[in-house]
């Protein structure tokens, strides 16, 4: 199975401070991969590097056969990288419909389809994003990324801080997206929920890949040693 996204020995940092020391990661077409590790181990930095918001200082980074290392973020996005960032970052002064419209690109995902996935957004189409609940804003952030019709959806802590009922709605949506064959790179703290959707896991420790394999292998010693669970 050929890789849609592939990182090989990727390094990156913030100015003079190095944060990634050798990340190896691959996501194939139709695959869901969990990027795991304790807080501060480089997961979000890896996402920022993939999406070209942070330059890679070494290694190889490819997506859909394209070398990403010298592309600006908007060109990487146009190749089909869809990001749901940590902290949601919806456009507060815009309505739900406007948030979705500004992200829209041609493809199967349109307003009708995302509001079928998240019916609450259809009910609140004319409501300002800043007036939505936290869970509704998270649904909007996911729907907005889908409106770009991505080849790879990247979810950075998409259920963090949400009520249990809303978390379950979002996990159900993620499972539905997997069922449709969408490639997903997933960061989340809930090992139990990740296990229901991810095919493989990649574990980071101090900015480097220290373990990768089938999701079933992230138990016992691996979880105890690298995840603190």
């Amino acid at each position: 199975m050929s890789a849609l996204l592939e990182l090989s020995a990727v390094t990156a940092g913030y100015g003079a401070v190095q944060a990634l020391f050798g990340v190896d990661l691959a996501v194939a077409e139709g695959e869901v991969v969990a990027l795991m590790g304790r807080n501060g181990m480089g997961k979000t930095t890896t996402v920022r590097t993939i999406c070209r918001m942070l330059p890679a200082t070494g290694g190889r980074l490819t997506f859909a056969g394209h070398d990403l290392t010298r592309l600006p973020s908007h060109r990487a996005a146009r190749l089909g990288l869809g990001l749901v960032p940590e902290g949601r970052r919806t456009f507060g002064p815009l309505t739900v419909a406007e948030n979705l419209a500004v992200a829209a690109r041609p493809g199967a995902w349109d307003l009708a389809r995302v509001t079928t996935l998240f019916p609450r957004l259809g009910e609140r189409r004319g409501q300002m994003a800043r007036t939505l609940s936290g869970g509704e804003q998270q649904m909007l952030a996911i729907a907005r990324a889908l409106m770009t019709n991505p080849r790879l959806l990247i979810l950075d802590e998409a259920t963090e801080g949400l009520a249990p009922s809303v978390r379950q709605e979002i996990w159900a949506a993620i499972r539905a997206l997997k069922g449709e064959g969408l490639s997903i790179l997933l960061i989340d703290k809930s090992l139990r929920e990740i296990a229901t959707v991810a095919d493989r896991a990649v574990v980071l420790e101090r900015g480097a890949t220290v373990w990768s394999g089938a999701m079933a292998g992230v138990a016992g010693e691996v979880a105890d040693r690298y995840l603190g669970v």
Side-chain angles (χ1 to χ4, degrees):
M1 190 182 294
S2 61
L4 174 63
L5 172 73
E6 186 169 14
L7 283 69
S8 179
V10 168
T11 59
Y14 299 90
V17 180
Q18 188 169 347
L20 301 183
F21 294 85
V23 174
D24 300 309
L25 182 156
V27 183
E29 292 275 9
E31 187 178 36
V32 178
V33 174
L35 182 60
M36 307 183 75
R38 296 185 181 92
N39 288 342
M41 293 300 168
K43 302 185 300 295
T44 294
T45 299
T46 298
V47 168
R48 288 174 58 84
T49 305
I50 292 168
C51 293
R52 311 312 306 128
M53 294 180 286
L54 187 69
T57 56
R60 185 166 56 90
L61 175 58
T62 61
F63 178 72
H66 297 269
D67 181 358
L68 290 182
T69 52
R70 287 179 171 78
L71 288 185
S73 58
H74 69 277
R75 288 188 58 194
R78 287 193 173 275
L79 292 177
L81 288 170
L83 174 63
V84 181
E86 186 177 19
R88 302 165 197 142
R89 301 182 192 174
T90 56
F91 302 122
L94 301 184
T95 66
V96 167
E98 289 167 342
N99 265 268
L100 298 174
V102 296
R105 296 188 65 209
W109 285 100
D110 57 15
L111 182 62
R113 195 171 177 198
V114 297
T115 53
T116 297
L117 183 67
F118 294 119
R120 291 198 210 185
L121 298 182
E123 297 166 4
R124 292 158 173 73
R125 287 177 56 175
Q127 192 170 327
M128 295 292 184
R130 66 178 172 231
T131 68
L132 300 176
S133 70
E136 290 163 352
Q137 288 186 33
Q138 188 63 73
M139 293 174 191
L140 179 55
I142 295 171
R144 183 180 60 188
L146 290 171
M147 289 288 285
T148 69
N149 279 281
R151 294 185 65 180
L152 174 67
L153 182 66
I154 303 174
L155 297 158
D156 191 355
E157 302 285 7
T159 67
E160 185 176 21
L162 301 180
S165 61
V166 178
R167 287 172 57 87
Q168 291 310 309
E169 283 187 63
I170 289 176
W171 281 113
I174 294 170
R175 286 189 285 270
L177 294 172
K178 177 184 179 177
E180 295 187 6
L182 182 62
S183 303
I184 300 172
L185 179 62
L186 173 66
I187 299 171
D188 201 274
K189 293 183 176 67
S190 175
L191 180 57
R192 184 182 55 142
E193 297 293 351
I194 289 173
T196 69
V197 67
D199 301 299
R200 292 190 306 106
V202 174
V203 179
L204 300 186
E205 176 86 359
R206 298 181 181 178
T209 298
V210 292
W211 188 91
S212 64
M215 193 65 218
V218 189
E221 183 181 349
V222 173
D224 291 343
R225 182 173 181 180
Y226 298 117
L227 305 179
V229 296

